[in-house]
Amino acid sequence: MSPAKTAPGSAVTQASVALLRDYSLEITARDSDQLEEAAPFIPPGTGISITFLPSEDFSSRIDAAVNVRRLGFVPIPHIPARRLKSAAELDHFLDRLATEAAVDRVFVIAGDTGAPNGPFEDALGLIRTGSLARYGVVHVGIAGYPEGHPAIDSGKLWQALIDKSRLLGELGHEYSIVTQFGFDAAPLLEWAATLRSKGVHVP
C-alpha cells in the first residue's frame, strides 16, 4: 500500500481509527498488577473483561473487578453458567460485584466444563433466572461462533443465539455478541450476514 493511501486523514487511516475506537481488553484475576502498570496508556472508561479461570476463586475475580473500577475502567466479568454450583452462588457473586465494583455489564457463557456443577446447563438458563437485572446488570454480552464450535452443531448454536437474543430483549437488557478469534474474513462476513437476516441487529 502506498504512503499516499495511508496518509493522515485518508479513508484507510480514518477506518483504522474507527475500528480501534472503543476497543476493550481482557485480563485474568492475576493480571491486576499488570493492569495498574498499563493504566496510564489506556483510555479512561475502556471495558476490561475479566475471565473466569478454573484456578481462580470468586473473591479474586471480585477483587479484580474492584481494581478495574478503581483505575477508571469498566469491569466486565465473565459468568460461565456451568461452573456455578447453585442459584444462591450466582446471586452472591452478582451482589458483591454490584456493591463492591458497581458492575453493570457482564459476559454470560455456558462454560466448557463437561457437566454442569449446578443447575445451569447453559447461558440461557442463567439469563432466564432474572438475577442479572435484579443486581443492576444493564448490558449482557453473549457468545457467537462464526467458525462453529467443536462440540455443538451449527443448528443448535444458531437456535441458542436466537433464544438468548429474544429473552434478553424481553427482559429489557441491552446486549451484544462477542465472537471467538477469527483469522479468515469469509466465515466472519457470512456469519454476520446470516445474523442480520435472522433479525438480530445488535453490535
Side-chain angles (χ1 to χ4, degrees):
M1 189 171 290
S2 69
K5 291 184 179 179
T6 58
S10 72
V12 171
T13 301
Q14 291 171 12
S16 299
V17 169
L19 179 64
L20 292 172
R21 188 180 298 122
D22 299 327
Y23 68 85
S24 62
L25 298 171
E26 183 171 291
I27 64 170
T28 71
R30 295 189 298 254
D31 295 327
S32 282
D33 291 344
Q34 288 87 342
L35 180 63
E36 191 141 3
E37 292 176 17
F41 308 100
I42 303 171
T46 295
I48 308 287
S49 291
I50 304 165
T51 60
F52 197 111
L53 298 181
S55 60
E56 297 169 350
D57 60 21
F58 280 97
S59 290
S60 64
R61 296 183 189 99
I62 292 163
D63 290 344
V66 169
N67 196 42
V68 168
R69 181 67 74 185
R70 179 182 64 81
L71 291 170
F73 308 124
V74 178
I76 309 171
H78 290 203
I79 306 180
R82 289 174 165 235
R83 293 185 189 274
L84 292 161
K85 295 176 182 177
S86 66
E89 186 174 58
L90 169 64
D91 284 353
H92 181 67
F93 187 43
L94 290 170
D95 182 45
R96 287 195 61 191
L97 288 171
T99 57
E100 297 177 37
V103 165
D104 62 1
R105 297 187 61 172
V106 297
F107 178 50
V108 180
I109 52 175
D112 286 330
T113 56
N117 293 337
F120 304 119
E121 178 70 30
D122 51 28
L124 185 66
L126 188 154
I127 294 166
R128 193 178 282 125
T129 66
S131 288
L132 299 176
R134 283 198 299 274
Y135 290 96
V137 173
V138 174
H139 189 104
V140 180
I142 57 175
Y145 299 93
E147 296 182 297
H149 188 290
I152 309 172
D153 69 51
S154 176
K156 288 183 178 179
L157 285 176
W158 277 115
Q159 190 59 55
L161 182 57
I162 297 303
D163 289 345
K164 285 182 284 188
S165 297
R166 287 176 179 161
L167 181 58
L168 288 166
E170 290 169 5
L171 293 173
H173 286 291
E174 298 172 6
Y175 73 99
S176 55
I177 301 169
V178 182
T179 74
Q180 78 261 59
F181 281 103
F183 299 98
D184 182 357
L188 293 169
L189 294 171
E190 181 179 353
W191 178 85
T194 303
L195 185 70
R196 300 313 186 211
S197 74
K198 292 178 180 291
V200 179
H201 295 281
V202 298

